[in-house]
Amino acid sequence: MDRRSFIKKAGVVTAGAAAATTLATPAISQGMRELTMVTTWPKNFPGLGTGAQRFADRITAMTDGRITVNLLAAGELVPAFEAFDAVASGAADMYHGAEYYWLGKHKAFAFFTAVPMGMLANEFDGWMNHGGGQELWDELAAGFGVKGIMAGNTGVQMGGWFAKEINSMEDMRGLTMRMPGLGGEVLRRMGASAVSIPGGEIFPALQSGAIDATEFVGPWNDRAFGFQRILKNYYYPGFHEPGSGLSAGINMDVWNSLTPADQTIFRAAGLAENNDMYSEFMANNGTSLNALINEDDVILRRFPDDVFAEMVRASEEVVQESAEDEIGQRILDSYLRARRDIGRWARISEHVYAEARNSILDI
Ligand code: CA
């Protein structure tokens, strides 16, 4: 074969290979992949929706575009609270949401968002990342064919919005309040009715009178939903969600199909979002609280001490009684141990410092 005919032949082969590549699905032939992520949030809703989007985009960026995560808002593929089933069944590859929405699957999922009188965000991270929390969550979620990764935290949440003042436990009785998770059960023990509805459905429920009180997150998120247009009494502190972790759940077959390097990227993207979302909430809650008070005529109120003490007692009862089986008991024990050990440290460090700084400097 002379050089000229060799080149000609090689050219033909190359052209043929190129044509075959064009005909095949380009994404697969280049090892590229698209994953569908359903969420429990409205699209681009501040903090939660935008955090979910940032988590998805970060995976795409960190894999240099090999893995594209396509985000679908609540209701686009499935309603908010069906996100878990969609991922467990493989109808979606991943979700971004809050584990306490899956209480109906197993009560212990609540511990991987927040429980009443539970841990603050940084205490919770200590348990999840270095205190055995992740391993217990892995065990629980694996039973449903899901792998969980923390991907966000709201920090401590507000007590909620009420039409009337809360001056005694009597004022809690008869209320119909939106509150998901174990907090809802605490409300029921106080004689109130608790309903769990997705964030995007709260405002219409208030407008129609289906509920007469609600909690959601805090000043930044609550103001974005416009609750201040209907209710004016904004209570603190919240007993029910002291530092709510947001989570990504990945279908176990999808998770197992990822290379160890890509699994590391998913974990890193989750850790990054955990930090990013928390700092975003911290920055924006302060300015939004000012706006609620100064522009929207919201009245900031603190639950009376005796009312809050009742909330603490009822919360502790509900949490202590939450274990419904062996794994539930191990999760409860591990969580309470971490709350005690980390809490005792936090009590004589950050909390004493913050209290002294704020009272002496009148912050
Ligand atoms: Ca909440």
Side-chain angles (χ1 to χ4, degrees), residues 150-285:
M150 273 302 146
N153 200 300
T154 65
V156 70
Q157 300 198 0
M158 285 290 284
W161 299 83
F162 297 84
K164 288 189 225 154
E165 283 185 50
I166 304 296
N167 294 317
S168 70
M169 286 304 288
E170 198 52 46
D171 295 319
M172 293 298 293
R173 276 184 255 284
L175 285 177
T176 302
M177 183 168 186
R178 183 268 181 188
M179 187 180 283
L182 294 183
E185 209 166 311
V186 177
L187 278 186
R188 284 188 276 276
R189 292 196 188 193
M190 295 176 192
S193 300
V195 292
S196 179
I197 51 175
E201 295 171 24
I202 301 173
F203 190 84
L206 284 171
Q207 270 185 320
S208 72
I211 57 174
D212 43 37
T214 190
E215 69 81 52
F216 186 54
V217 178
W220 182 36
N221 269 193
D222 294 5
R223 189 169 192 257
F225 271 142
F227 303 148
Q228 69 281 359
R229 300 211 299 271
I230 300 178
L231 301 171
K232 293 294 181 191
N233 295 302
Y234 197 23
Y235 271 88
Y236 74 97
F239 71 88
H240 59 300
E241 292 190 65
S244 293
L246 290 318
S247 48
I250 301 146
N251 173 280
M252 193 58 85
D253 292 336
V254 172
W255 176 253
N256 289 333
S257 73
L258 297 173
T259 63
D262 285 343
Q263 288 182 347
T264 304
I265 285 174
F266 273 59
R267 285 196 195 94
L271 278 171
E273 188 48 40
N274 212 51
N275 181 275
D276 213 350
M277 190 188 289
Y278 180 56
S279 44
E280 194 177 23
F281 269 104
M282 288 301 274
N284 288 314
N285 273 338

Side-chain angles (χ1 to χ4, degrees), residues 33-74:
R33 202 161 173 193
E34 290 202 16
L35 298 179
T36 298
M37 184 171 84
V38 291
T39 64
T40 55
W41 326 115
K43 193 135 201 150
N44 287 324
F45 186 74
L48 304 168
T50 54
Q53 185 67 60
R54 201 165 41 204
F55 170 66
D57 292 345
R58 205 172 259 134
I59 290 172
T60 304
M62 289 167 91
T63 58
D64 206 16
R66 280 185 296 103
I67 300 176
T68 303
V69 178
N70 295 317
L71 183 148
L72 294 172

